[in-house]
Amino acid sequence: MTSLSSDDPFPSCTRALILWKPFGLSRRLLQVECSESILLFTLVPRLRKAPTVFLLGQRQGFSTMPEIEASLRDSELFSPPPVVRGMTELDRTAFKKTVSIPVLKARKEVVNRLMRALRRVALQRPGIKRVIEDPKDEDSRLIMLDPYRMLSADSFDKAELSVLKELDVSPQLSQYNLELTYENFKSEEVLRAVLPEGQDVTSGFSRVGHIAHLNLRDHQLPFKHLIGQVMVDKNPGITSAVNKTSNIDNTYRNFQMEVLCGEENMLTKVRENNYTYEFDFSKVYWNPRLSTEHGRITELLNPGDVLFDVFAGVGPFAIPAARKNCTVFANDLNPESHKWLLHNCKLNKVDQKVKVFNMDGKDFLQGPVREELMLRLGLSAEAKPSVHIVMNLPAKAIEFLGVFRSLLDGQPCSPELLPTVHCYCFSKESDPAKDVRRRAEAELGVSLEASSSVHLVRNVAPNKEMLCVTFQIPAATLYGLREFLTAKCGVCYP
Ligand SMILES: C[S@@+](CC[C@H](N)C(=O)[O-])C[C@H]1O[C@@H](n2cnc3c(N)ncnc32)[C@H](O)[C@@H]1O
């Protein structure tokens, strides 16, 4: 599979001087011993902005090598062969390629120490052993080096040279013909070689348990099955790749998806902030990009607090809160989310601490939430816990805020029982914080200027932010103006 082309690629019979202008920035003079100029070029990094290379051979005088310059520009050492371009069905055998790699010969007993010192310059390729046997000397090993960093023995830095000296290893490099296969290319290298040149090959995905969740662009669609297969091949633990086929604008916020590769089974298990969640990804909402936000809200809670989670999904706010010894009321309209929420409460051993509902958010607020607040109104001031209401349905949650207007109308106003709301929203405005606050104020009919904060959760798309506006429901809103003034002024208003 691999072969050693020469013990010493730089025999001293001919000396060539290379004037190298790396990246067009500065000129450097490298002196390399070599008999065949072509050998040198296999070791020069084949970067997009290829260096301008001039050869100054002792016999030929000065000459430029335009054909070599072109090949340096056009092909990178570690890109798969051109034959794979346009492939729509993955043929792994077409990815074979042989490249020249600089190697350093060393006695086998010093190899471990040497490898520690040569971390900077050692070859790093998936599935490639960096230390191999020397076919010509059983007491030696060959250390594969990064051809982009190692042009010659001069490329070792001072510290590396001093270790070589200490271990009595010659810095002289040899060349090794290394055969690369599909397994040795990274997913991005595979896709860049396959997809039409010049087009974006972004191979990013969200990982949801065993599922790679892709969001392919139109130009990638002809290659969708190959892309899915590459994601499965190159990412340990991923056995299924799916592509989002529509925006999540349905009520339950789950994706329409097409399985590109691997198992159709979307029942999966994820870990987030040390909790385990199981669900059917094709039927419920789950976004791994929200883990920080779930953790942030959990941090704000104290043991004994009450949490109402109006749009709870499969439980990523509710379960950590219950584990923190909060009393939790969690609701979701989607029967599948409700089912998995119950399941996950059991799985994380908090089913005794979470009451689970399957209702519309508005009914949940006007029913169980209101009843619970009324119950707690009767408690003494010290026994009244802090109450939090989480509303993570960013496209719509703001529209539910009107429910708080006079939710406890007619009840004796209690300043100790004013829930803190964490309401999520999207904004495309130039001042997103101002925008979401203004929209929340319009729903509540009260100014939040002095009593709210807005947290930027994440950038969802260019010019689209997800935010969380947090505020304590003003007493005048929750209890109605008459009750509020009665409590405040001690006068009973009709
Ligand atoms: C964006 S997800 C958030 C889920 C979870 N809180 C999380 O952070 O992953 C919104 C959830 O609201 C639920 N939902 C949508 N409309 C609803 C409604 N009118 N009432 C209650 N839940 C609703 C969806 O089923 C979905 O699970």
Side-chain angles (χ1 to χ4, degrees):
M1 177 182 133
T2 46
S3 68
L4 188 66
S5 66
S6 142
D7 258 352
D8 179 2
F10 305 129
S12 54
C13 52
T14 306
R15 290 167 67 85
L17 292 176
I18 298 179
L19 276 171
W20 182 32
K21 192 182 169 200
F23 313 110
L25 293 175
S26 66
R27 270 171 198 277
R28 244 176 81 193
L29 184 66
L30 296 177
Q31 191 170 355
V32 184
E33 294 184 342
C34 182
S35 59
E36 286 174 0
S37 54
I38 190 76
L39 180 64
L40 290 165
F41 290 99
T42 60
L43 300 181
V44 169
R46 299 178 181 197
L47 302 171
R48 280 249 168 264
K49 289 184 186 169
T52 308
V53 182
F54 300 95
L55 254 192
L56 191 59
Q58 275 187 334
R59 279 183 234 128
Q60 299 145 299
F62 185 86
S63 70
T64 60
M65 304 281 284
E67 67 285 353
I68 294 175
E69 278 186 60
S71 83
L72 283 176
R73 260 197 314 272
D74 295 342
S75 66
E76 290 181 6
L77 199 57
F78 292 120
S79 57
V83 66
V84 304
R85 175 84 60 212
M87 178 187 278
T88 50
E89 208 172 298
L90 186 63
D91 173 9
R92 295 180 183 83
T93 61
F95 284 78
K96 277 194 187 141
K97 175 182 181 178
T98 304
V99 291
S100 280
I101 298 292
V103 287
L104 181 73
K105 181 174 167 146
R107 297 180 323 281
K108 62 181 181 191
E109 60 272 18
V110 300
V111 161
N112 283 347
R113 284 182 65 195
L114 202 52
M115 287 308 286
R116 279 198 291 276
L118 296 183
R119 257 186 226 130
R120 182 187 73 93
V121 291
L123 181 69
Q124 301 209 9
R125 287 267 87 200
I128 295 283
K129 278 192 192 166
R130 282 184 282 186
V131 179
I132 52 169
E133 307 221 327
D134 181 348
K136 295 192 175 157
D137 176 1
E138 61 177 29
D139 294 329
S140 292
R141 296 288 179 265
L142 299 174
I143 299 171
M144 292 211 227
L145 301 175
D146 182 344
Y148 283 81
R149 291 179 186 271
M150 292 304 299
L151 299 177
S152 72
D154 290 346
S155 306
F156 287 116
D157 67 20
K158 253 186 173 177
E160 290 155 356
L161 281 172
S162 109
V163 176
L164 291 181
K165 196 167 172 201
E166 190 190 319
L167 298 175
D168 195 21
V169 175
S170 160
Q172 199 62 250
L173 301 183
S174 302
Q175 191 188 22
Y176 184 79
N177 283 339
L178 172 68
E179 189 175 276
L180 297 175
T181 63
Y182 171 76
E183 283 67 37
N184 308 131
F185 293 108
K186 300 172 191 164
S187 55
E188 204 169 314
E189 290 164 344
V190 170
L191 298 184
R192 202 183 304 128
V194 169
L195 266 64
E197 234 169 330
Q199 290 193 351
D200 180 27
V201 297
T202 314
S203 52
F205 61 86
S206 293
R207 185 179 183 149
V208 180
H210 69 282
I211 305 161
H213 178 218
L214 296 117
N215 188 3
L216 297 179
R217 323 259 175 81
D218 287 349
H219 71 270
Q220 297 167 328
L221 293 178
F223 305 92
K224 62 185 180 183
H225 295 294
L226 180 142
I227 296 174
Q229 183 67 62
V230 173
M231 294 300 122
V232 169
D233 289 346
K234 299 288 176 187
N235 295 284
I238 296 283
T239 52
S240 211
V242 301
N243 185 37
K244 181 169 135 179
T245 53
S246 72
N247 282 331
I248 45 167
D249 47 14
N250 64 351
T251 307
Y252 300 149
R253 323 314 289 171
N254 56 326
F255 296 97
Q256 303 299 306
M257 55 183 81
E258 178 191 7
V259 179
L260 302 176
C261 173
E263 355 170 4
E264 298 271 332
N265 170 21
M266 293 290 113
L267 274 187
T268 197
K269 180 186 202 153
V270 301
R271 288 281 291 170
E272 181 185 273
N273 303 333
N274 286 328
Y275 301 97
T276 305
Y277 302 92
E278 290 178 343
F279 48 85
D280 183 334
F281 185 50
S282 64
K283 294 185 178 150
V284 304
Y285 177 90
W286 181 264
N287 187 343
R289 294 192 179 102
L290 289 180
S291 64
T292 307
E293 186 56 21
H294 296 146
R296 185 182 74 90
I297 295 292
T298 311
E299 276 293 299
L300 298 176
L301 304 173
N302 291 310
D305 286 356
V306 176
L307 174 72
F308 297 107
D309 190 354
V310 186
F311 310 106
V314 298
F317 288 117
I319 288 166
R323 270 280 189 87
K324 225 176 159 177
N325 271 330
C326 297
T327 305
V328 181
F329 298 78
N331 170 66
D332 202 285
L333 183 62
N334 179 356
E336 278 289 322
S337 297
H338 175 256
K339 177 178 110 184
W340 289 106
L341 179 57
L342 282 168
H343 173 86
N344 289 324
C345 287
K346 281 209 182 84
L347 190 66
N348 290 281
K349 302 188 172 51
V350 292
D351 47 317
Q352 298 305 313
K353 293 179 187 153
V354 186
K355 283 203 179 110
V356 176
F357 301 82
N358 179 208
M359 314 170 79
D360 179 76
K362 191 174 172 202
D363 298 335
F364 175 63
L365 288 166
Q366 287 175 331
V369 175
R370 182 173 185 273
E371 280 158 29
E372 194 59 32
L373 290 176
M374 302 246 285
L375 217 94
R376 284 166 195 269
L377 270 175
L379 301 177
S380 65
E382 308 78 63
K384 285 193 182 98
S386 289
V387 176
H388 292 260
I389 304 181
V390 171
M391 302 173 72
N392 182 16
L393 180 60
K396 283 212 168 107
I398 276 191
E399 296 165 24
F400 288 72
L401 294 181
V403 174
F404 293 123
R405 285 193 189 205
S406 310
L407 185 69
L408 298 183
D409 199 8
Q411 301 304 312
C413 173
S414 165
E416 298 88 32
L417 199 75
L418 296 174
T420 300
V421 174
H422 309 275
C423 178
Y424 291 85
C425 358
F426 294 129
S427 177
K428 291 183 174 176
E429 296 300 309
S430 56
D431 187 342
K434 191 170 165 194
D435 171 49
V436 300
R437 189 180 280 131
R438 186 191 50 73
R439 281 157 53 206
E441 287 173 344
E443 292 294 333
L444 292 162
V446 68
S447 167
L448 295 175
E449 192 67 44
S451 57
S452 62
S453 64
V454 179
H455 173 78
L456 176 66
V457 178
R458 69 185 195 100
N459 176 252
V460 178
N463 302 324
K464 186 176 178 184
E465 314 294 343
M466 175 178 172
L467 305 109
C468 176
V469 54
T470 292
F471 60 90
Q472 200 166 37
I473 308 174
T477 303
L478 193 63
Y479 293 93
L481 199 55
R482 189 171 50 90
E483 296 305 323
F484 171 65
L485 290 174
T486 305
K488 192 123 181 130
C489 312
V491 180
C492 190
Y493 285 81

